[in-house]
Amino acid sequence: MSEQEQTKASKQDAAKVKQDKGRRPRKKGTKLTKRELKVQRHKKKLREKRERRTKIAAARAKSSCKFQIRCRKPVEDEIFDVDEFVKYLQERFKVDGKTGQVGPARPVNIQKSVTTVHVTSKKPFPKFYVKFLTKRYLKRHGLRDYVRVIADKKASYELRYFNIQDDKQQ
C-alpha cells in the first residue's frame, strides 16, 4: 500500500470510530435497551407524520371548491338583484390577497342562474369567505336587517328573511 492509501484508510477508520462512539456493538439475539426502543418509536412517528403531511399537501393541491348561494325569496320579492351581486363578488373576491382573479380562465369562477350564484375555485378557500362577502353586500344595500345568510347544506348558503312576529298576534 502506498502512503496516501494508508492515510485514507486510517481517516476512514477514525470516522467509523467517531460514529460508533458511545454505541456498544450489538450481539446477535440481544434485546434493545429501553432508550433505543424509545428512539425507534419516535423515529417511526416522525416518519408517519411526514408521510401524512405529504398526502394532505397532495390532496389540497388537487382539491377545488364549489359553493352555491340561493337567493330565491329576496329575488322573487324584487329587493335583491342577482346580476349586481355577481358583479360585487367579482370585484371584491380575493385570491392570495389580490382582487381581479375571477373569470372563466382564472383561479375563481362565478356564474349565475336565475336565482342562484355558483362560485367555483381551483384553489381551496374557506366557505366562510363567501358568507362574509354576502353579508357585506347585504349591509351595503341596507338588506342586512331583513335578510340573513344560512348554511342549508355543506356546500351552499341560502338567503332567508328573519322571522319577525307581531306583538298583536301574541
Side-chain angles (χ1 to χ4, degrees):
M1 275 182 136
S2 69
E3 196 172 311
Q4 289 178 343
E5 290 174 0
Q6 286 179 352
T7 55
K8 279 186 184 178
S10 63
K11 284 182 183 179
Q12 288 174 352
D13 291 337
K16 284 182 185 177
V17 170
K18 214 177 205 182
Q19 286 177 352
D20 293 338
K21 189 177 183 182
R23 295 184 193 164
R24 289 177 285 166
R26 179 137 328 267
K27 293 181 182 177
K28 207 172 197 181
T30 58
K31 294 183 179 180
L32 297 172
T33 62
K34 287 183 180 180
R35 173 90 177 134
E36 291 169 336
L37 286 171
K38 188 176 179 181
V39 168
Q40 278 186 350
R41 282 192 301 262
H42 182 70
K43 285 181 179 179
K44 185 178 178 183
K45 282 183 182 179
L46 290 176
R47 196 176 326 111
E48 288 171 355
K49 271 187 182 180
R50 212 176 302 122
E51 289 171 0
R52 197 174 327 120
R53 284 181 187 156
T54 55
K55 285 180 183 177
I56 290 170
R60 283 187 181 162
K62 292 178 187 175
S63 70
S64 63
C65 297
K66 296 178 184 178
F67 297 114
Q68 294 178 351
I69 306 164
R70 294 188 179 92
C71 320
R72 187 176 60 83
K73 291 177 184 175
V75 169
E76 286 174 355
D77 295 339
E78 297 179 3
I79 64 167
F80 190 86
D81 186 20
V82 179
D83 293 326
E84 193 175 323
F85 178 56
V86 168
K87 184 180 176 189
Y88 178 84
L89 286 177
Q90 288 174 342
E91 290 172 357
R92 301 283 196 275
F93 205 96
K94 287 186 179 181
V95 179
D96 295 330
K98 298 175 188 175
T99 57
Q101 299 288 324
V102 179
R106 302 272 173 103
V108 177
N109 190 12
I110 299 175
Q111 298 173 337
K112 75 165 188 98
S113 61
V114 179
T115 60
T116 307
V117 177
H118 301 278
V119 180
T120 56
S121 173
K122 295 174 185 171
K123 287 187 173 183
F125 67 90
K127 180 181 173 185
F128 184 79
Y129 187 58
V130 176
K131 184 175 184 176
F132 164 75
L133 288 173
T134 306
K135 288 168 80 172
R136 200 165 162 197
Y137 174 82
L138 292 172
K139 182 71 174 175
R140 289 196 176 182
H141 288 80
L143 300 172
R144 187 77 178 95
D145 295 334
Y146 311 106
V147 180
R148 62 184 178 161
V149 183
I150 297 176
D152 61 339
K153 293 182 182 174
K154 187 176 180 183
S156 70
Y157 285 111
E158 185 175 354
L159 300 184
R160 293 186 189 166
Y161 291 111
F162 282 107
N163 293 332
I164 303 171
Q165 296 183 1
D166 296 327
D167 293 328
K168 295 176 185 175
Q169 290 178 355
Q170 294 177 349

